[in-house]
Amino acid sequence: MRSGPPRPPARLLKAIAPLILTGGILLIPRPDEVQAEGWTVFAIFAGTILALILRPLPLGAIALISLTATMLSQAVEPDVALGGFGNPTIWLIVCAFFIAKGFAVTGLGTRIALGFVRLLGRRSLGLGYGMALTDVVLAPATPSNTARAGGVLFPIVRSLSTLSGSEPDDGTRRRLGAYLTLSSFHVNAVTSAMFATAMAANPVIQQLAGDQGVSLSWAKWALAASVPGIVSLIVVPLLLYRVFPPGLRDTPEAPREATRRLAELGPVARAEKLMIATVVLLLLLWSLGDQVLGVSPTVSAFVGVCVLLIAGVLSWDDLLAERAAWDTLVWFAVLIMLAGQLQELGFIGWFSGQIASGVDGMSWQVAFVILTLVYFAAHYLFASNTAHVTAMYAAFLTTAIAVGAPPELAALVLAFESSLFASLTHYATGPAPVLFGAGYVTLGEWWRMGALIGAVNVAIWMVVGGAWFRLLGFW
Amino acid sequence: MRSGPPRPPARLLKAIAPLILTGGILLIPRPDEVQAEGWTVFAIFAGTILALILRPLPLGAIALISLTATMLSQAVEPDVALGGFGNPTIWLIVCAFFIAKGFAVTGLGTRIALGFVRLLGRRSLGLGYGMALTDVVLAPATPSNTARAGGVLFPIVRSLSTLSGSEPDDGTRRRLGAYLTLSSFHVNAVTSAMFATAMAANPVIQQLAGDQGVSLSWAKWALAASVPGIVSLIVVPLLLYRVFPPGLRDTPEAPREATRRLAELGPVARAEKLMIATVVLLLLLWSLGDQVLGVSPTVSAFVGVCVLLIAGVLSWDDLLAERAAWDTLVWFAVLIMLAGQLQELGFIGWFSGQIASGVDGMSWQVAFVILTLVYFAAHYLFASNTAHVTAMYAAFLTTAIAVGAPPELAALVLAFESSLFASLTHYATGPAPVLFGAGYVTLGEWWRMGALIGAVNVAIWMVVGGAWFRLLGFW
């Protein structure tokens, strides 16, 4: 028997504010270009985002309520609204949680983490760079940034943190876990921007730019991204180390302890070998799969989970008990559905049109900077890089070219931003919910650091990148 | 650290047999009418069903492997294969699990169960009839048999069993829980057949029969079903009581104990009142929603879950911890997807065609009995009444009329079977996974009793029903 929880006035206010926002937006006369249903979805979406920030209830409960409101308002049919639960990107994320569980139950995560600690662990900053190096090495061959950050790096971050006595829920999260989580997350946005094959939406961008007559080859992309990319990779872990410092800084005893514990662990066990084989298989499938074998990143991830289940490395009960996976399934599915409907029902198109008309008549330099900033900030409205790119890339590129920006410059800058804006929120991109879901970083920290690192990356890619693109002759 | 489980030869055989079945079917030259992908899906479906029976791994793991095989074989595109996870029927089931959890955490389930025990609990057979009476009273106004058996009756069965010291996993499951679970399940198939508004697929049947020129009004349906329905409602709980007896038979002390404990419980608590209000709201929405308010049973169920979350009766953690819901989500979504693809890719059409050509030239009575038996048994291939009806009802009705069966008789008998065949398996219909998932009944028991009760119901509705339909002038 249980009674409802106590309801302090603060909680009531937190619950009412999103309702007022949604109701207020519904009262504004909608623009003609937006369908009535699209305006309703926007009102619900805005209320949902406010509720996610104020947190009168856990994320999953808010998502369920938003989903129900969307269906009840008849803005979206139930089978479409529930369709988010069948989205392949979401199941890639769910599988990434399950695979990460394999690192935990076999103890392999601990072993890899100990290796890293032995190699780079004299300072926690060294660990941040160790993660960054791993990510950039994997990036050219891993077209799913979720697989990379969520499937490969996240379990190592998790193990490293636990090894250093940093857990999400016992007051030790800032000791190491919070720093490593955010550093890996923001580095992932940078590595995603660096190669045409490093993020799922990048090939979409190549296609859309090609439709506007701008050819972005793999080599041109990598060359253009190289200099600003390397600068960002150097700056991001260090900047976070200054403004969001881990409690643990100098750790001279860590490598010694790691060496001792690795000796204790002894030889690699059967389950660990199976786990290594699975991860190697996954990396092969993720790097070759889509183009060479026709196996999508999601299907590859399911193959990995099946191998772990069949080999007995993971039990079905391990998966059912992985609450974070089910939690993420629910709230990410609802946000992806809402974001998709915003586009489907004309809101995004109207929104892009407003922007384009706003910069009419300015010099191309000013207009282009405004366009890129708006394109970047608009990602607060999106739960996926791919959705944002699909919805807005072509419109913004067309507008930029129309106001006089050099086509190659415009195509590349918008392309890079399409990865970099993934820094902004905890729902911005595939790995975001995985890393946020681990619980090391609060929502407030996530958004504040997201805005800071996002701004710094934009500055680096505009100033350093701008000079480099000029040198390359793109403008 | 964990190593793989031991692998006795028996387990290896259980794992290999489904692979051999799938491989064997793939080697058979496919019929021209079935698309290559449809034959592949059939091979995987057959292997999956065998694996569900042999259980080399838990249901959910088998389902994930089947899903992966389906996507890897490229018979079904990933976004279609994963689409099962967005199926509204599945989310009605998931919500039913969550709502049932509300009965548990508030203690209301216990209170209702105690009331039943006080009223009818001198014998466990009385409890079986108590559940049957509840179901048939709710049936005309509850168009979702899942909502009725899964959402309303199942939590009461669960509480009654716990109260009588019958739990799924400590050796006491046959004491009461197993009997009440199966009795409620098979009674639900009967009540679903009794009213045009008692099961989601029944309106589909009215439509399909109308397309063949046979009008099945609500009143005609209820009148035709009344006599065989009442006979089945009397026979089913009693027959199960004989062939699948509960350990607890005479329970003279139960009503006294119930009275004592009800007094102990005291007045109804706030959370219980909220739970009652939610269930009343759900019954109203389920009975009026679809036709009067345009709110589907799934959306209504989501409303119920949201009310319980907002009122604080359920916490989000309660839902995440409800493993049975996530388990069911996975395996039922995969089976519904496979069944849907069997139809989509031409297998079901070819299968129906084979049957129709097989009865060519027989007397209509013989042909019709064969047709109805095949239609009934074919439900072993389906994970939903609606899917089966959509796929086969029109084809079988057309064939029956073509061989000379009286149209009204044929339309009604096939309509009733469309509910009665829900007895057959643990995936046959919405409530099946909910009740099976509770763990009181083994898979072997479920299938054996399913075949027995299915056969008895067919006999009742053919013999008693046949005489009654004759009296009514339908043939």
Side-chain angles (χ1 to χ4, degrees):
Chain A
M1 305 230 172
R2 200 186 324 172
S3 195
R7 301 298 209 77
R11 191 175 163 221
L12 202 62
L13 268 179
K14 286 179 177 183
I16 287 173
L19 295 179
I20 292 173
L21 178 62
T22 297
I25 291 173
L26 285 176
L27 290 179
I28 301 170
R30 73 179 161 89
D32 288 338
E33 299 91 325
V34 183
Q35 295 176 37
E37 292 85 359
W39 198 249
T40 307
V41 171
F42 170 60
I44 293 171
F45 186 79
T48 304
I49 298 299
L50 186 59
L52 292 186
I53 296 164
L54 299 177
R55 288 289 271 279
L57 285 170
L59 292 191
I62 292 167
L64 266 197
I65 292 165
S66 299
L67 171 65
T68 307
T70 308
M71 295 190 293
L72 267 186
S73 72
Q74 310 205 335
V76 182
E77 287 295 307
D79 54 341
V80 177
L82 296 171
F85 291 106
N87 184 299
T89 302
I90 286 169
W91 283 94
L92 178 56
I93 296 168
V94 171
C95 288
F97 271 105
F98 294 157
I99 292 160
K101 183 95 174 181
F103 280 95
V105 299
T106 61
L108 179 63
T110 308
R111 189 185 294 272
I112 293 175
L114 288 169
F116 266 105
V117 174
R118 184 165 60 180
L119 200 68
L120 296 159
R122 303 199 145 273
R123 296 188 64 194
S124 43
L125 182 60
L127 294 171
Y129 280 116
M131 298 293 110
L133 283 171
T134 313
D135 195 327
V136 77
V137 166
L138 295 175
T142 314
S144 162
N145 68 319
T146 306
R148 205 160 66 243
V152 180
L153 285 175
F154 165 63
I156 300 177
V157 166
R158 190 72 186 71
S159 297
L160 268 176
S161 306
T162 298
L163 188 72
S164 304
S166 179
E167 295 290 344
D169 42 15
D170 63 357
T172 60
R173 62 181 186 83
R174 287 296 301 270
R175 198 171 151 82
L176 183 63
Y179 166 69
L180 279 188
T181 300
L182 276 193
S183 181
S184 306
F185 176 63
H186 293 301
V187 158
N188 186 252
V190 174
T191 61
S192 298
M194 288 177 73
F195 307 94
T197 46
M199 198 263 292
N202 289 355
V204 180
I205 289 171
Q206 289 180 299
Q207 172 72 40
L208 295 173
D211 293 346
Q212 307 287 333
V214 186
S215 152
L216 296 182
S217 70
W218 196 94
K220 188 190 283 179
W221 188 305
L223 181 66
S226 58
V227 169
I230 290 167
V231 172
S232 276
L233 284 183
I234 293 169
V235 167
V236 167
L238 188 62
L239 178 63
L240 277 169
Y241 189 76
R242 298 282 176 224
V243 299
F244 190 67
L248 218 59
R249 284 163 177 259
D250 286 306
T251 53
E253 72 296 332
R256 282 197 297 277
E257 168 74 7
T259 307
R260 197 184 60 73
R261 286 189 54 188
L262 276 171
E264 265 180 26
L265 274 184
V268 180
R270 173 179 170 275
E272 286 177 275
K273 286 180 192 158
L274 285 165
M275 191 68 205
I276 292 169
T278 306
V279 170
V280 170
L281 172 70
L282 277 172
L283 286 178
L284 277 175
L285 286 174
W286 278 333
S287 52
L288 299 176
D290 230 358
Q291 275 114 46
V292 182
L293 307 169
V295 180
S296 76
T298 300
V299 176
S300 303
F302 270 106
V303 169
V305 173
C306 287
V307 168
L308 295 177
L309 282 170
I310 293 168
V313 175
L314 287 175
S315 75
W316 179 241
D317 268 341
D318 288 332
L319 307 195
L320 288 181
E322 187 62 13
R323 293 187 192 191
W326 307 111
D327 193 10
T328 305
L329 169 70
V330 171
W331 70 261
F332 206 53
V334 174
L335 282 181
I336 279 220
M337 178 277 291
L338 287 174
Q341 290 302 310
L342 281 182
Q343 187 196 345
E344 191 73 25
L345 298 169
F347 178 81
I348 299 291
W350 166 78
F351 180 77
S352 321
Q354 292 301 103
I355 302 313
S357 70
V359 296
D360 210 33
M362 297 179 186
S363 81
W364 78 259
Q365 288 88 344
V366 175
F368 182 57
V369 168
I370 292 174
L371 280 176
T372 56
L373 292 181
V374 171
Y375 181 69
F376 195 87
H379 198 63
Y380 279 106
L381 293 176
F382 286 95
S384 127
N385 292 10
T386 305
H388 189 160
V389 164
T390 311
M392 296 177 68
Y393 182 85
F396 272 68
L397 178 57
T398 315
T399 313
I401 294 174
V403 298
E408 273 187 323
L409 176 73
L412 281 168
V413 169
L414 290 171
F416 299 146
E417 292 207 337
S418 301
S419 285
L420 296 173
F421 58 37
S423 276
L424 291 177
T425 68
H426 63 300
Y427 53 80
T429 182
V434 182
L435 273 68
F436 176 68
Y440 277 105
V441 183
T442 68
L443 194 71
E445 290 165 353
W446 197 279
W447 278 52
R448 280 194 301 277
M449 290 301 130
L452 173 69
I453 301 291
V456 168
N457 272 332
V458 167
I460 290 172
W461 290 69
M462 285 235 184
V463 178
V464 179
W468 175 238
F469 304 152
R470 183 99 202 197
L471 205 68
L472 292 175
F474 292 148
W475 64 291
Chain B
M1 284 164 244
R2 200 191 320 174
S3 193
R7 300 299 208 77
R11 191 176 162 220
L12 201 63
L13 268 178
K14 286 178 177 182
I16 287 174
L19 296 179
I20 292 173
L21 178 62
T22 298
I25 291 172
L26 285 176
L27 291 178
I28 300 171
R30 73 180 162 88
D32 289 339
E33 299 91 328
V34 183
Q35 295 176 36
E37 292 84 358
W39 198 249
T40 305
V41 172
F42 171 60
I44 293 171
F45 186 78
T48 304
I49 298 299
L50 186 58
L52 293 185
I53 297 165
L54 298 176
R55 288 290 271 279
L57 287 169
L59 293 190
I62 292 168
L64 266 198
I65 293 166
S66 300
L67 170 65
T68 307
T70 307
M71 295 190 292
L72 266 186
S73 72
Q74 312 206 332
V76 182
E77 287 295 307
D79 54 340
V80 176
L82 297 171
F85 291 107
N87 184 299
T89 303
I90 286 170
W91 283 93
L92 177 56
I93 296 169
V94 171
C95 289
F97 271 106
F98 294 157
I99 292 160
K101 183 95 175 182
F103 279 94
V105 300
T106 60
L108 179 62
T110 310
R111 189 185 294 273
I112 293 175
L114 288 169
F116 266 105
V117 174
R118 183 165 59 181
L119 201 68
L120 296 159
R122 305 199 145 271
R123 296 188 64 195
S124 41
L125 182 60
L127 295 171
Y129 280 115
M131 299 293 109
L133 283 171
T134 312
D135 194 328
V136 78
V137 166
L138 296 175
T142 315
S144 163
N145 67 320
T146 305
R148 206 160 67 242
V152 180
L153 285 174
F154 166 64
I156 299 176
V157 165
R158 190 72 185 73
S159 298
L160 268 178
S161 305
T162 298
L163 188 73
S164 304
S166 179
E167 295 291 345
D169 42 16
D170 63 356
T172 59
R173 63 180 186 81
R174 288 295 302 271
R175 201 171 148 82
L176 184 63
Y179 166 71
L180 279 189
T181 300
L182 277 192
S183 182
S184 306
F185 176 63
H186 294 300
V187 159
N188 184 252
V190 174
T191 61
S192 299
M194 289 178 72
F195 307 94
T197 46
M199 198 262 295
N202 288 356
V204 180
I205 289 171
Q206 290 179 296
Q207 172 71 41
L208 294 174
D211 293 345
Q212 307 288 333
V214 185
S215 150
L216 296 183
S217 71
W218 197 94
K220 189 191 285 181
W221 187 305
L223 181 66
S226 59
V227 169
I230 290 167
V231 173
S232 276
L233 284 182
I234 293 168
V235 167
V236 167
L238 188 62
L239 178 63
L240 277 169
Y241 189 75
R242 298 282 177 221
V243 298
F244 190 67
L248 218 61
R249 285 165 175 257
D250 286 307
T251 54
E253 73 293 335
R256 282 197 298 277
E257 169 73 6
T259 307
R260 197 183 59 74
R261 286 189 54 189
L262 276 170
E264 266 180 27
L265 274 184
V268 179
R270 173 180 169 275
E272 286 176 275
K273 285 180 192 158
L274 285 165
M275 190 70 206
I276 292 169
T278 306
V279 170
V280 170
L281 172 69
L282 276 172
L283 286 178
L284 276 175
L285 284 174
W286 278 332
S287 52
L288 301 176
D290 229 359
Q291 275 113 47
V292 181
L293 307 170
V295 181
S296 76
T298 300
V299 176
S300 304
F302 271 106
V303 169
V305 173
C306 287
V307 169
L308 295 177
L309 282 171
I310 292 168
V313 175
L314 285 176
S315 75
W316 179 241
D317 267 341
D318 288 332
L319 307 194
L320 288 182
E322 187 61 13
R323 294 187 191 190
W326 307 111
D327 193 11
T328 305
L329 169 70
V330 172
W331 70 261
F332 206 52
V334 174
L335 282 180
I336 281 220
M337 179 278 291
L338 287 174
Q341 290 302 309
L342 281 181
Q343 186 195 346
E344 192 73 26
L345 297 169
F347 178 82
I348 299 291
W350 166 78
F351 180 76
S352 320
Q354 292 301 103
I355 302 314
S357 69
V359 296
D360 210 34
M362 298 178 184
S363 81
W364 78 261
Q365 289 87 346
V366 176
F368 182 57
V369 168
I370 292 174
L371 279 175
T372 55
L373 293 180
V374 170
Y375 181 70
F376 195 87
H379 198 62
Y380 279 107
L381 293 177
F382 286 94
S384 127
N385 292 11
T386 305
H388 189 161
V389 165
T390 312
M392 295 177 68
Y393 182 84
F396 271 69
L397 177 57
T398 315
T399 313
I401 295 173
V403 298
E408 274 187 321
L409 176 72
L412 282 169
V413 169
L414 289 170
F416 299 146
E417 292 208 337
S418 302
S419 286
L420 297 174
F421 58 37
S423 278
L424 290 177
T425 67
H426 63 300
Y427 53 81
T429 183
V434 183
L435 273 67
F436 176 69
Y440 278 105
V441 183
T442 68
L443 193 71
E445 290 166 354
W446 197 280
W447 278 52
R448 278 194 301 277
M449 290 303 131
L452 173 69
I453 302 292
V456 167
N457 272 332
V458 167
I460 290 172
W461 290 69
M462 284 236 183
V463 178
V464 179
W468 175 240
F469 306 152
R470 183 99 203 197
L471 206 66
L472 293 174
F474 294 147
W475 64 291

